[in-house]
Amino acid sequence: MVCPSCGQAHPIRSWDWKQQGGFARLLVQVEEIFPGEAVPTDGLFDLLERASGCAWRHFYVQD
Ligand SMILES: [Zn+2]
């Protein structure tokens, strides 16, 4: 992925989105939550990891 500001190219996984954006092949979208208003619990992450077999993280998107 190429940064539109400085033109540097790095693998998308190496970018630090500061939880203000992200990308996913599989996601669970929860709407009507402002950034930082709610945080997924460890229990939810554990459940998702057991069901999918991969680690999960979260990020916020504000339209
Ligand atoms: Zn840049």
Side-chain angles (χ1 to χ4, degrees):
M1 185 168 178
V2 178
C3 173
S5 295
C6 66
Q8 288 193 29
H10 298 284
I12 195 167
R13 289 178 175 269
S14 70
W15 287 49
D16 184 356
W17 302 88
K18 309 280 189 210
Q19 296 178 326
Q20 301 304 305
F23 66 99
R25 290 190 298 169
L26 178 65
L27 66 90
V28 175
Q29 183 173 345
V30 180
E31 297 186 347
E32 305 301 326
I33 303 291
F34 289 104
E37 183 180 34
V39 178
T41 62
D42 290 341
L44 176 59
F45 283 132
D46 290 344
L47 182 72
L48 290 169
E49 187 168 341
R50 282 196 309 273
S52 67
C54 60
W56 286 72
R57 292 183 284 176
H58 76 283
F59 61 89
Y60 302 97
V61 174
Q62 189 167 15
D63 293 333

